[in-house]
Amino acid sequence: MRQNFVAGNWKMNLTLPEAQALTIELMELLKADLTAARPQVVVCPSFPLLMAVGQLLGDSGNPALGAQNFHQKESGAYTGEVSAKQLQSVGCEYVILGHSERRQQFHEDDTLLAEKLKTALTAGLKPIFCVGETLETREADETFDYIGQQLAAGLFHLSKEEFGGLVIAYEPIWAIGTGRTASSEQAQEVHAFIRAQVAAAYDAATAADTTILYGGSCNAQNARELFSQPDVDGGLIGGASLKSRDFVEIVKSF
Ligand code: 13P
């Protein structure tokens, strides 16, 4: 279902007391700003914080709980790893997949991501699947080829039914944590391209129904301009999701 959507990726930040304090602040601010048109909000803490944050979020489904990673196998002898089913059992509804930090630092390639995607869907998790180009790729004018390839290799092996629950996030690597945001025109043209690729791989109705987020130095100042673009349905927020007021300002930027 296509919807306005804001997810906070807390990355490897916050201790348990800090995460609890942030969640309580968020809930208070969101309650104060309760409107019928509130977007779907998701927060994605690190593994040890999931249960405590989930308990504070409650079971309304908005805000929802998401995880940042999991292992591709369903269960077994994988010391130190976490399964999709375990995440689902502690209240996770969403999971981030294909984030550039995992592709680059943990060598997650398209084959592994395709396997993880199937495991997530089998466990009943909704993937937030990230794509995005490096600065080098953009400067070589190869952004569309590159993202087309990431989508084809990572995502389009899914059946139309499987693809239905999925959220896509466009995160240009050069914009992540750099303070250098894509312009709203740059974001819009890539989002429109992604939607066209989904239409080509499935059909126009599936494309029109797909939620596509922008991520990369999105903040309370630039969110409104980015979210006003016709193919930008919201954001995947890193740094600014760690500050309750900034995050709620972004949630209100539709
Ligand atoms: P920043 O918002 O800190 O640039 O991070 C974006 C991101 O990687 C979200 O997944």
Side-chain angles (χ1 to χ4, degrees), residues 9 11 99 171 175-177 216-218 236-239:
N9 176 5
K11 306 193 180 183
H99 194 283
E171 296 209 324
I176 295 177
S217 299
C218 184
L236 178 54
I237 317 299

Side-chain angles (χ1 to χ4, degrees), residues 7-11 96 99-101 128 130 169 171-180 214-219 235-242 250:
N9 176 5
W10 292 358
K11 306 193 180 183
I96 299 170
H99 194 283
S100 58
E101 286 154 16
I128 301 174
C130 306
E171 296 209 324
I173 295 169
W174 48 271
I176 295 177
T178 58
R180 183 179 168 189
Y214 168 79
S217 299
C218 184
N219 58 38
L236 178 54
I237 317 299
S241 72
L242 299 170
I250 295 171

